[in-house]
Amino acid sequence: MNAELDLVAQVRSQFPGLDQDVHGKPLIYLDNAASSQMCVAAIEAVDHFARHDRSNVHRGAHELGQRATQAMEDARAVVQRFIGAAHEDEIVFTRGTTDSINLVAGSLGAMFSAGDEVVITEMEHHSNIVPWQLLAARAGIKVRVAAVDDRGVLDLDGLIGLIGPRTRLVSVAHVSNSLGTVNPVGEIIDAAHDRGVPVLLDGAQAIPHVLVDVASLDVDLYAFSGHKVFAPNGIGVLYGKRELLRTMPPYQGGGEMIDEVSFEGTTFAEPPARFEAGTPNVSGIVGLGAALSWLMSQDRAALAAHEHALVEAADAMLAAMPGIRRIGTAPGKQGACSFVMEGVPGADVGTLLDMQGIAVRTGHHCTQPLMRRFGIDGTVRASFSFYNTMDEVEALERGLHKVRRMVGGA
Ligand SMILES: *Cc1c(COP(=O)(O)O)cnc(C)c1O
C-alpha cells in the first residue's frame, strides 16, 4: 500500500495541472476520458521547442530547420516504439483520432464502390460513425452496425456475421469512451483477416490505459489522440501497415506530400509524407514524443494496476449507492464509470460536483446512438487516470451523497 502511495505521489508530481483549487476546493480531476492532464515532460518539451528550435521542417538548409526536422523524426521513432510498429514510416501524424479516421475514410474510402460495406459497432464515438455516413452519402457505401448487450458488451458473433463479401473494412473502438468496455480486438482482427478484410481500431481510449502492440495485434490501421495521453492538443497518430499505406491515395494535397509537381501531373511522396500535407504541428509532435517517452520510462504495469483498482472501487461504490444506475458493466472495463442518478438531470449532477471541485463529464459523450440503445440521453461519467487516488474515489462518493441531499428525494 505504501509502495502504491509512493508511486501515485511520484506520478502526480509530474502533472502540475492537478495541483490547484477549484471553487475553493482541491481539484479532483475525473474527466480523463475527454482530455487528460499534460505531463511536465511534454510541457517542457513544447516550451523548449518554442524557445530554441522553432522553425519549419524538411527544406530548411539552416540549423533551426534541421533541429526541428530532427525533433519531428525523433518523435516519430518514439511513437513507433510506443505502439510496437515494425517501421517508422508506418506512423502518420494527424490532428487526432477524428482526423485519423477521416483520413482513412477519405483515402482508403476513395477506393470503395457503391454497395461496399464498412462494419462498425453501436458503441462507436461519432468520429467513427459520421465519416462513414459521409462516405455513404458520397460513394453509396453501406454502414453495418454490430450490437452491444445490456452490459455494454459487444455481440462478437453478430459482428463477425456482418462481415460479408462486400465488406471493405471493420472499424471499431478498442476501448469505449462512454462505457469503458474493452473489445475483443484480437478475435475481431482474426475473424476479419480470415475473410480478407482489414481492421481499423479507434484507440483513443485504449492508448492511455492498455499496452498496445500493433505488430502483435496484427491490426491494419490504428488511430489515437495526443491530448488523451498526457500530450498537447491538436496532435494525433494514424498507424498503418506499410503495405496498406502504400496502396492508399492522398486525401489532402499540398506541400510536403508530393514527389514532383507540374501542371501536367503530380507524383506523390511515399507514406507517411503522402498523408502529411502542409506544415505539420511540430510543437505538438515534439510534445507527444516527450509524453510517450516519459510514459515508457515509468512502471506502466504498476500504474495500470493502480488505475484498474480505482475503476473497480468506483464501480463498486456506484453499484452500492441507492438511486444510481450504472451504464456499462462489462467485465474488465477500463477508465470510465458512467451512470445516471435517478430523478436528477446529469447536467445538475455535474454542476453540483463541480462546486465541490470534482470534474466529471455529463452528456452523450459523442455516442448518441449508444445512449439511445440504453434508452437515455446521456450519463454522468467519471473517468480515471493512474494519477487519481482512492481518496478521490471516496470524495466522489461523498460528493454524490451531497448532491442527493441538495436536490432532495430518495
Ligand atoms: C476522444 C475520442 C475520439 C475523438 O478523439 P479526438 O481527439 O476528439 O479527435 C474518438 N474515439 C474515442 C473512443 C474517443 O474517446
Side-chain angles (χ1 to χ4, degrees):
M1 195 60 216
N2 263 348
E4 186 163 348
L5 286 178
D6 285 352
L7 176 79
V8 178
Q10 181 270 17
V11 87
R12 283 183 75 85
S13 73
Q14 299 300 305
F15 290 87
L18 296 173
D19 184 20
Q20 58 178 308
D21 288 353
V22 168
H23 304 306
K25 304 276 167 47
L27 170 64
I28 294 178
Y29 189 76
L30 302 179
D31 194 20
N32 296 286
S35 272
S36 60
Q37 293 298 314
M38 241 168 101
C39 61
V40 160
I43 295 169
E44 288 180 350
V46 169
D47 182 80
H48 184 275
F49 177 78
R51 288 175 194 278
H52 303 285
D53 301 336
R54 182 179 163 84
S55 171
N56 210 323
V57 289
H58 298 317
R59 291 162 312 268
H62 59 82
E63 170 66 18
L64 295 197
Q66 278 158 21
R67 276 192 226 155
T69 305
Q70 190 64 45
M72 174 166 162
E73 295 313 317
D74 287 351
R76 200 187 301 276
V78 168
V79 175
Q80 179 203 349
R81 266 198 297 134
F82 187 80
I83 62 170
H87 309 287
E88 253 174 61
D89 58 15
E90 297 178 317
I91 308 300
V92 179
F93 288 119
T94 65
R95 288 191 298 123
T97 306
T98 304
D99 196 32
S100 295
I101 297 173
N102 277 280
L103 189 168
V104 177
S107 169
L108 192 66
M111 304 194 289
F112 299 171
S113 327
D116 283 349
E117 296 174 358
V118 173
V119 173
I120 64 172
T121 80
E122 225 171 5
M123 73 177 89
E124 298 313 313
H125 190 281
H126 294 164
S127 65
N128 195 27
I129 300 174
V130 183
W132 308 116
Q133 292 176 329
L134 292 174
L135 189 61
R138 202 158 66 229
I141 68 146
K142 293 207 178 74
V143 182
R144 312 287 305 269
V145 185
V148 305
D149 70 13
D150 291 342
R151 297 167 301 165
V153 173
L154 175 67
D155 175 3
L156 177 63
D157 292 337
L159 179 138
I160 293 170
L162 290 177
I163 305 175
R166 295 304 302 268
T167 308
R168 300 295 302 271
L169 184 71
V170 174
S171 187
V172 303
H174 190 166
V175 174
S176 156
N177 64 308
S178 294
L179 307 177
T181 305
V182 182
N183 282 319
V185 292
E187 285 161 270
I188 293 170
I189 291 164
D190 287 348
H193 287 180
D194 284 348
R195 292 158 181 78
V197 176
V199 176
L200 164 61
L201 292 181
D202 168 354
Q205 293 300 334
I207 282 286
H209 303 296
V210 181
L211 294 174
V212 174
D213 188 286
V214 291
S216 63
L217 271 177
D218 197 28
V219 66
D220 304 277
L221 297 153
Y222 199 97
F224 67 95
S225 299
H227 68 101
K228 296 184 180 183
V229 66
F230 321 115
N233 292 85
I235 186 64
V237 170
L238 177 69
Y239 159 82
K241 279 184 186 167
R242 180 187 261 176
E243 296 315 316
L244 178 60
L245 288 182
R246 284 185 178 168
T247 67
M248 287 167 51
Y251 89 121
Q252 287 182 339
E256 314 283 0
M257 53 76 71
I258 48 83
D259 174 32
E260 191 159 339
V261 177
S262 76
F263 289 114
E264 288 66 49
T266 291
T267 54
F268 304 113
E270 290 296 314
R274 184 185 300 168
F275 304 109
E276 293 178 346
T279 299
N281 177 1
V282 190
S283 128
I285 290 169
V286 165
L288 177 64
L292 299 184
S293 291
W294 173 78
L295 261 180
M296 285 190 281
S297 75
Q298 300 299 298
D299 182 348
R300 294 186 70 205
L303 292 174
H306 164 68
E307 184 187 280
H308 199 65
L310 295 174
V311 173
E312 295 208 315
D315 205 46
M317 177 272 283
L318 292 166
M321 191 176 282
I324 294 283
R325 174 184 169 202
R326 289 176 302 150
I327 305 294
T329 51
K333 71 175 184 176
Q334 294 276 0
C337 293
S338 260
F339 58 94
V340 294
M341 189 181 257
E342 277 155 29
V344 191
D348 294 358
V349 177
T351 305
L352 294 171
L353 287 175
D354 181 51
M355 296 317 295
Q356 306 174 55
I358 303 172
V360 298
R361 188 151 295 255
T362 64
H364 54 64
H365 317 297
C366 299
T367 54
Q368 277 184 326
L370 182 66
M371 297 294 109
R372 226 165 272 132
R373 154 75 183 78
F374 282 95
I376 53 180
D377 294 333
T379 72
V380 179
R381 181 185 69 188
S383 57
F384 295 86
S385 178
F386 47 57
Y387 48 55
N388 292 121
T389 66
M390 284 294 176
D391 285 351
E392 291 179 325
V393 174
E394 285 163 22
L396 175 64
E397 180 175 19
R398 286 193 302 277
L400 289 170
H401 281 303
K402 192 164 176 186
V403 169
R404 180 58 83 191
R405 284 197 302 277
M406 290 167 87
V407 298

